[in-house]
Amino acid sequence: MTKRQLRTTFEPVLFVLPSVLLLGVFMYYPLVQNFVYSFFRFSAFSSSKVFIGFQNYTHLLKDDIVITALRNNLRYAIVSVIFQVCFGLVLAAILEDRAFRRVSPLFRTMFFIPVTISISVICLLFGFIYRPMDGLLNQFLSLIGLDVLTRPWLGSAKTAIWATIAVSQWQSIGYVMMLFIVAIQKIPEELYEAAEIDGATKIRRFFAITLPQVKEMFFVTTLITVTGSVMVFNEPYILTQGGGPGTSSITIAVHMYQSGFFKDMMGYASTLAVVIFLISIILGILQLAVFKSGED
Amino acid sequence: MYGVKPRNHRRDALSLSQVPILIILLVYFAIIAYPLFWILMSSLKTTEDISVNIWALPKVPQWHNYTDAWRFGISGYFINSIIVTVSTIFAVLVIASLGAYGLSRFKVSWLKYVLIFVMGGMMLNPQVCLIPLYKLLTALKLRNTYWALIIPYTTFRLPLNILLIRTFFLSIPKEIEESAKLDGCTNLQTYARIFVPMSTPIMITGAILTAYYAWNEFMFAIIFIDSNKYRTIPAGLMAFRDALQINWGPLIAGMVIASLPLVLFFLFAQKQFIRGMTAGSVKG
Amino acid sequence: MSKRVVLLISGLLLVTSLMSAQQVTLRFFHRWPQEPRKSYYDALVAEFEKQNPDIKIVMDSVVNDSYKEKIRVLVSSDDIPDVFCSWSDSFAYNLVKSGRIKPLNDMLAKDKAFADSFIQSQIKSFTFDGKIYGLPQTMDGKVFIYNREIFNKAGITKLPSNYDELIELFEALQKKGYKTPILEGLQDPWTISHYLGSMFQLYLPASVTQKDYAEATGAFTDAGYKVVLERFKQIVKYMGPNATSMTHTDVRNLFAAGKLPVMYVQLAEFGLIRQSNPNLKYGYFGFPPFKDGKGEVGYIEGAPEGFMMSSTCKNPAAAEKFLKFIFSLQNAQKFVKDIGAPVAIKGAVTKENSFPELLDAVEILNEAKGMVPWFDNAVNIKVADAFMRGCQALATNDKTIDQVMADVQTAAKIVASEAKKK
């Protein structure tokens, strides 16, 4: 091989090597390792591992908390799609409507601010909002005469999960709204003008033009919010001290964290990570399929 | 892409039918704005005032809440967050742009497998790697150092940034590269002197995306760092809450300090910020 | 040559010699990043460094629950701090099993006066197989405290001498208009374990708890556990709907503000109550025994906390010096004054540096027949977690007692099978 040939062969290697190394060592190797770990029992503070075959998996099938957690993740997903995607789209359509043109920058900016705030700050804030006696929410309800609605939002198994879900909505509606605004601004103005000449109402125009035109974005945002719902960790970890009361507001990520780092069952935590992996793989494939169809 | 381009509309007067919609907008505005206002207001109140007179404005602004918060530990968390965020941005941009150049400017067959390798990383949920990463970082004696955050953050931000920058590199005309080659530039020189300067906008986008992630990441931050010395703001705030217990004034002031950099950046550079934040989903 | 030049040169020499002097570094890890203890340890370290310019202390701290996790990780790695705090009993024993904790018998034997300065009963909780692995700093125990003013107003004169009377007391308070006669921050799972620990000890025969608390033999099948959970649920009924959304600190503030009749607290909290309201008048009583209970009466749930030294410490002499400094009478007295918690050093709590309730607290501990370790330290964390989470769900009526016990038994089975295979 000549020097020149050598160079053309190895030059691309040099460019992609740092990326491949990092991804290989700190992403793919742990991923593979996680599958191996799921067949062992081990502790965070010792180096010895015991091979136990499928025991973690049989435990998984008998573990009620997994069902509670997955149900809560599903609740997150459904509520997030309704509020973030559907409501976010409606908000975007309203703010892009010319009737609100003059005020929309103000609204748009305000609605987006929570996105820029760290989730731990937001959870601490909602901790204050949900306090049973001197919390903003209960105090506000009493103020407007709705004492009957006051309750220990995070202290009841019936409301804790919904209260934590509400926090994510508060933070993220603005983000999805902004994605839709970007998408709506790409719609050619002529489409609307033609519809207006035909005398279509605004609601009609929304369904006839806006909705079909942002169809792809609709899928994308749905997938983003659903994927996000699988990963929910911070809100229950901070707000309900790891999914309390009992395990009523636990999610699969919190269950994994607690199994591994609180109950010191690292092997079982890896098994739960496998569950998370399978779910995100399914969603990822779906995402790829949608992007493919979008490219055509 | 997002733009604040004024659309060429005739002005419609606010008709009666729009009033209910406006009311909904205003209610939602209040739901978002009031809690934010409440944090700002309460950060200047005494703990007792926060708990007893929750709706009242501070009688005497307690500015010392901010100096207290800073002194009680927020300053350390803040500096750690800056160190981790800046290092992560730097590492991501350098490594990702090199990778993107490799993936966009060479015609070698095996590179398509590298591309799949990178794209696969886009789909992977970082939580899946949590336990092995914890063990790996411990074994490498990196746990409880800045590297324990910088390396995973860089790794998990790489795929998105490589793909973003690659898309941009692909749009750069072949002729520019060829004329550089004629001038005797090596690939590395072409990359450094032509591609990198040309791609400033996409680099800014990538930097914003990465900054947002590194500044706010929580799970790795609480697990890979044990010591107060290296905690970043999201994890530090939790320790801060536990430490202050009932001293709410400084806690809320700390929350404001923690949020300020990104909120201010967003308010003053909305266009770039939103372009960055939306790029993550739209992919260029 | 003028005097000034000589001075300058000698000054420079002094500075350089000081700088070149071998500085020893000690790593010190504790679990009190919060006030008032944070300032106490900051000052303690500063003072020690001033007295010993050749020793530098690198101090770090994380709060309670994180500390439990971190210290176990650190002890298992090569990263172990030189001096660090630890709970006693099974928690300490788990650390000791790593083989990296230094026995302090030699140190104590060499300095008789130092060894004698401790309240000897408290050292027992750090002694395993005849070796002393830790020295106790604070003593602690759990008692009910009550607001004297409220009791006077409600006309309550007799303190409960058994569990039935405790319930009667709550009923009486409710009749007088105190909707929640007792409250606990059940959002903090550990608060539940403190109730359970006392109740199990009082209700169950010692032979049952001994067998069940041990990892290898724990089964938790005795019917008595269900009875205790029923009674726990009965107490929770008086706490109202907010208990599961409050923290222990929230509740203590309510008590300190004079808004709560009864609360179950640690003696170590007396100082915190005093801090938020120095004028509050309150009394105390221990967990009243069950009429049908089979456990021995007169014990108190609680345990000392103290400090340990690593066996891999590079400068054991410096570490010993620092330990002795922590436990000097002067610093112990300052601790009592600053923090208001009982200390395991003889003569540390005096009339001058404390307050009547704290003197009482020391008295309670002296009178107790023995100590019952904190429940969450006494059993494997998986079992404790099943109890704590389960009882949260009991409090919100989300689970039945049978379901909770089933979860506990499953956890115990896992723990037992792991213990056997080790």
Side-chain angles (χ1 to χ4, degrees), chain B residues 158-175:
Chain B
L158 266 184
L160 178 63
N161 278 283
I162 293 176
L163 295 182
L164 266 181
I165 300 172
R166 175 177 169 268
T167 314
F168 186 86
F169 282 177
L170 285 173
S171 71
I172 295 178
K174 253 294 182 235
E175 296 81 55

PDB file of all heavy atoms in Angstrom, chain B residues 158-175:
ATOM      1  N   LEU B 158     -23.954  12.792  21.973  1.00  0.00           N
ATOM      2  CA  LEU B 158     -23.228  12.668  20.710  1.00  0.00           C
ATOM      3  C   LEU B 158     -24.112  12.319  19.512  1.00  0.00           C
ATOM      4  O   LEU B 158     -24.058  13.012  18.496  1.00  0.00           O
ATOM      5  CB  LEU B 158     -22.110  11.626  20.826  1.00  0.00           C
ATOM      6  CG  LEU B 158     -20.709  12.125  21.192  1.00  0.00           C
ATOM      7  CD1 LEU B 158     -19.746  10.960  21.147  1.00  0.00           C
ATOM      8  CD2 LEU B 158     -20.250  13.227  20.258  1.00  0.00           C
ATOM      9  N   PRO B 159     -24.934  11.263  19.610  1.00  0.00           N
ATOM     10  CA  PRO B 159     -25.665  10.848  18.402  1.00  0.00           C
ATOM     11  C   PRO B 159     -26.467  11.984  17.781  1.00  0.00           C
ATOM     12  O   PRO B 159     -26.339  12.254  16.580  1.00  0.00           O
ATOM     13  CB  PRO B 159     -26.591   9.738  18.919  1.00  0.00           C
ATOM     14  CG  PRO B 159     -25.899   9.197  20.109  1.00  0.00           C
ATOM     15  CD  PRO B 159     -25.194  10.353  20.726  1.00  0.00           C
ATOM     16  N   LEU B 160     -27.240  12.678  18.583  1.00  0.00           N
ATOM     17  CA  LEU B 160     -28.069  13.757  18.067  1.00  0.00           C
ATOM     18  C   LEU B 160     -27.204  14.823  17.404  1.00  0.00           C
ATOM     19  O   LEU B 160     -27.501  15.290  16.299  1.00  0.00           O
ATOM     20  CB  LEU B 160     -28.873  14.369  19.224  1.00  0.00           C
ATOM     21  CG  LEU B 160     -29.753  15.549  18.863  1.00  0.00           C
ATOM     22  CD1 LEU B 160     -30.818  15.130  17.866  1.00  0.00           C
ATOM     23  CD2 LEU B 160     -30.408  16.116  20.116  1.00  0.00           C
ATOM     24  N   ASN B 161     -26.124  15.209  18.058  1.00  0.00           N
ATOM     25  CA  ASN B 161     -25.279  16.270  17.516  1.00  0.00           C
ATOM     26  C   ASN B 161     -24.556  15.836  16.248  1.00  0.00           C
ATOM     27  O   ASN B 161     -24.404  16.624  15.315  1.00  0.00           O
ATOM     28  CB  ASN B 161     -24.282  16.747  18.574  1.00  0.00           C
ATOM     29  CG  ASN B 161     -24.915  17.748  19.515  1.00  0.00           C
ATOM     30  OD1 ASN B 161     -25.089  18.912  19.179  1.00  0.00           O
ATOM     31  ND2 ASN B 161     -25.301  17.283  20.684  1.00  0.00           N
ATOM     32  N   ILE B 162     -24.113  14.576  16.229  1.00  0.00           N
ATOM     33  CA  ILE B 162     -23.456  14.094  15.007  1.00  0.00           C
ATOM     34  C   ILE B 162     -24.433  14.181  13.834  1.00  0.00           C
ATOM     35  O   ILE B 162     -24.112  14.696  12.763  1.00  0.00           O
ATOM     36  CB  ILE B 162     -22.965  12.637  15.171  1.00  0.00           C
ATOM     37  CG1 ILE B 162     -21.832  12.581  16.196  1.00  0.00           C
ATOM     38  CG2 ILE B 162     -22.483  12.079  13.834  1.00  0.00           C
ATOM     39  CD1 ILE B 162     -21.340  11.174  16.489  1.00  0.00           C
ATOM     40  N   LEU B 163     -25.662  13.716  14.053  1.00  0.00           N
ATOM     41  CA  LEU B 163     -26.636  13.700  12.958  1.00  0.00           C
ATOM     42  C   LEU B 163     -26.997  15.118  12.529  1.00  0.00           C
ATOM     43  O   LEU B 163     -27.118  15.397  11.335  1.00  0.00           O
ATOM     44  CB  LEU B 163     -27.886  12.923  13.378  1.00  0.00           C
ATOM     45  CG  LEU B 163     -27.649  11.431  13.646  1.00  0.00           C
ATOM     46  CD1 LEU B 163     -28.946  10.735  14.018  1.00  0.00           C
ATOM     47  CD2 LEU B 163     -27.002  10.753  12.443  1.00  0.00           C
ATOM     48  N   LEU B 164     -27.145  16.015  13.500  1.00  0.00           N
ATOM     49  CA  LEU B 164     -27.463  17.412  13.175  1.00  0.00           C
ATOM     50  C   LEU B 164     -26.359  18.023  12.324  1.00  0.00           C
ATOM     51  O   LEU B 164     -26.614  18.606  11.261  1.00  0.00           O
ATOM     52  CB  LEU B 164     -27.562  18.231  14.457  1.00  0.00           C
ATOM     53  CG  LEU B 164     -28.917  18.424  15.118  1.00  0.00           C
ATOM     54  CD1 LEU B 164     -28.756  19.282  16.364  1.00  0.00           C
ATOM     55  CD2 LEU B 164     -29.874  19.080  14.151  1.00  0.00           C
ATOM     56  N   ILE B 165     -25.121  17.896  12.806  1.00  0.00           N
ATOM     57  CA  ILE B 165     -24.004  18.537  12.116  1.00  0.00           C
ATOM     58  C   ILE B 165     -23.755  17.860  10.767  1.00  0.00           C
ATOM     59  O   ILE B 165     -23.435  18.516   9.781  1.00  0.00           O
ATOM     60  CB  ILE B 165     -22.741  18.515  13.004  1.00  0.00           C
ATOM     61  CG1 ILE B 165     -23.024  19.271  14.307  1.00  0.00           C
ATOM     62  CG2 ILE B 165     -21.554  19.132  12.288  1.00  0.00           C
ATOM     63  CD1 ILE B 165     -21.935  19.171  15.348  1.00  0.00           C
ATOM     64  N   ARG B 166     -23.956  16.543  10.725  1.00  0.00           N
ATOM     65  CA  ARG B 166     -23.754  15.818   9.471  1.00  0.00           C
ATOM     66  C   ARG B 166     -24.711  16.342   8.401  1.00  0.00           C
ATOM     67  O   ARG B 166     -24.315  16.583   7.254  1.00  0.00           O
ATOM     68  CB  ARG B 166     -23.964  14.323   9.689  1.00  0.00           C
ATOM     69  CG  ARG B 166     -23.881  13.497   8.415  1.00  0.00           C
ATOM     70  CD  ARG B 166     -24.017  12.020   8.695  1.00  0.00           C
ATOM     71  NE  ARG B 166     -24.197  11.292   7.469  1.00  0.00           N
ATOM     72  CZ  ARG B 166     -25.386  11.003   6.935  1.00  0.00           C
ATOM     73  NH1 ARG B 166     -26.489  11.396   7.546  1.00  0.00           N
ATOM     74  NH2 ARG B 166     -25.464  10.350   5.810  1.00  0.00           N
ATOM     75  N   THR B 167     -25.996  16.515   8.792  1.00  0.00           N
ATOM     76  CA  THR B 167     -26.968  17.042   7.831  1.00  0.00           C
ATOM     77  C   THR B 167     -26.481  18.366   7.261  1.00  0.00           C
ATOM     78  O   THR B 167     -26.583  18.633   6.066  1.00  0.00           O
ATOM     79  CB  THR B 167     -28.326  17.265   8.523  1.00  0.00           C
ATOM     80  OG1 THR B 167     -28.621  16.123   9.293  1.00  0.00           O
ATOM     81  CG2 THR B 167     -29.418  17.503   7.513  1.00  0.00           C
ATOM     82  N   PHE B 168     -25.908  19.193   8.149  1.00  0.00           N
ATOM     83  CA  PHE B 168     -25.428  20.495   7.687  1.00  0.00           C
ATOM     84  C   PHE B 168     -24.218  20.340   6.760  1.00  0.00           C
ATOM     85  O   PHE B 168     -24.155  20.951   5.704  1.00  0.00           O
ATOM     86  CB  PHE B 168     -25.060  21.349   8.896  1.00  0.00           C
ATOM     87  CG  PHE B 168     -24.684  22.752   8.530  1.00  0.00           C
ATOM     88  CD1 PHE B 168     -25.660  23.721   8.381  1.00  0.00           C
ATOM     89  CD2 PHE B 168     -23.357  23.098   8.319  1.00  0.00           C
ATOM     90  CE1 PHE B 168     -25.314  25.011   8.031  1.00  0.00           C
ATOM     91  CE2 PHE B 168     -23.002  24.382   7.957  1.00  0.00           C
ATOM     92  CZ  PHE B 168     -23.986  25.345   7.816  1.00  0.00           C
ATOM     93  N   PHE B 169     -23.282  19.479   7.155  1.00  0.00           N
ATOM     94  CA  PHE B 169     -22.088  19.254   6.335  1.00  0.00           C
ATOM     95  C   PHE B 169     -22.464  18.739   4.948  1.00  0.00           C
ATOM     96  O   PHE B 169     -21.822  19.075   3.956  1.00  0.00           O
ATOM     97  CB  PHE B 169     -21.148  18.251   7.012  1.00  0.00           C
ATOM     98  CG  PHE B 169     -20.324  18.855   8.128  1.00  0.00           C
ATOM     99  CD1 PHE B 169     -19.472  18.064   8.887  1.00  0.00           C
ATOM    100  CD2 PHE B 169     -20.407  20.209   8.417  1.00  0.00           C
ATOM    101  CE1 PHE B 169     -18.706  18.620   9.904  1.00  0.00           C
ATOM    102  CE2 PHE B 169     -19.653  20.769   9.442  1.00  0.00           C
ATOM    103  CZ  PHE B 169     -18.804  19.963  10.185  1.00  0.00           C
ATOM    104  N   LEU B 170     -23.499  17.894   4.905  1.00  0.00           N
ATOM    105  CA  LEU B 170     -23.908  17.340   3.610  1.00  0.00           C
ATOM    106  C   LEU B 170     -24.402  18.437   2.683  1.00  0.00           C
ATOM    107  O   LEU B 170     -24.331  18.311   1.460  1.00  0.00           O
ATOM    108  CB  LEU B 170     -25.011  16.286   3.812  1.00  0.00           C
ATOM    109  CG  LEU B 170     -24.560  14.931   4.359  1.00  0.00           C
ATOM    110  CD1 LEU B 170     -25.767  14.056   4.663  1.00  0.00           C
ATOM    111  CD2 LEU B 170     -23.619  14.228   3.379  1.00  0.00           C
ATOM    112  N   SER B 171     -24.891  19.538   3.273  1.00  0.00           N
ATOM    113  CA  SER B 171     -25.440  20.612   2.447  1.00  0.00           C
ATOM    114  C   SER B 171     -24.337  21.541   1.925  1.00  0.00           C
ATOM    115  O   SER B 171     -24.591  22.411   1.121  1.00  0.00           O
ATOM    116  CB  SER B 171     -26.470  21.411   3.248  1.00  0.00           C
ATOM    117  OG  SER B 171     -25.814  22.175   4.225  1.00  0.00           O
ATOM    118  N   ILE B 172     -23.118  21.373   2.428  1.00  0.00           N
ATOM    119  CA  ILE B 172     -22.027  22.222   1.939  1.00  0.00           C
ATOM    120  C   ILE B 172     -21.585  21.715   0.559  1.00  0.00           C
ATOM    121  O   ILE B 172     -21.286  20.533   0.390  1.00  0.00           O
ATOM    122  CB  ILE B 172     -20.844  22.207   2.923  1.00  0.00           C
ATOM    123  CG1 ILE B 172     -21.271  22.851   4.234  1.00  0.00           C
ATOM    124  CG2 ILE B 172     -19.634  22.937   2.334  1.00  0.00           C
ATOM    125  CD1 ILE B 172     -20.210  22.862   5.306  1.00  0.00           C
ATOM    126  N   PRO B 173     -21.565  22.619  -0.433  1.00  0.00           N
ATOM    127  CA  PRO B 173     -21.263  22.180  -1.812  1.00  0.00           C
ATOM    128  C   PRO B 173     -19.893  21.513  -1.921  1.00  0.00           C
ATOM    129  O   PRO B 173     -18.939  21.937  -1.266  1.00  0.00           O
ATOM    130  CB  PRO B 173     -21.276  23.488  -2.608  1.00  0.00           C
ATOM    131  CG  PRO B 173     -21.985  24.478  -1.753  1.00  0.00           C
ATOM    132  CD  PRO B 173     -21.830  24.036  -0.337  1.00  0.00           C
ATOM    133  N   LYS B 174     -19.848  20.486  -2.772  1.00  0.00           N
ATOM    134  CA  LYS B 174     -18.608  19.748  -3.035  1.00  0.00           C
ATOM    135  C   LYS B 174     -17.484  20.674  -3.498  1.00  0.00           C
ATOM    136  O   LYS B 174     -16.316  20.471  -3.171  1.00  0.00           O
ATOM    137  CB  LYS B 174     -18.875  18.742  -4.158  1.00  0.00           C
ATOM    138  CG  LYS B 174     -18.973  17.264  -3.858  1.00  0.00           C
ATOM    139  CD  LYS B 174     -18.009  16.465  -3.428  1.00  0.00           C
ATOM    140  CE  LYS B 174     -17.697  15.138  -3.079  1.00  0.00           C
ATOM    141  NZ  LYS B 174     -17.168  15.016  -1.792  1.00  0.00           N
ATOM    142  N   GLU B 175     -17.860  21.711  -4.303  1.00  0.00           N
ATOM    143  CA  GLU B 175     -16.837  22.568  -4.923  1.00  0.00           C
ATOM    144  C   GLU B 175     -15.949  23.236  -3.878  1.00  0.00           C
ATOM    145  O   GLU B 175     -14.748  23.384  -4.071  1.00  0.00           O
ATOM    146  CB  GLU B 175     -17.497  23.671  -5.775  1.00  0.00           C
ATOM    147  CG  GLU B 175     -18.279  23.166  -6.976  1.00  0.00           C
ATOM    148  CD  GLU B 175     -19.661  22.683  -6.594  1.00  0.00           C
ATOM    149  OE1 GLU B 175     -20.402  23.481  -5.973  1.00  0.00           O
ATOM    150  OE2 GLU B 175     -19.987  21.525  -6.878  1.00  0.00           O
TER     151      GLU B 175
END
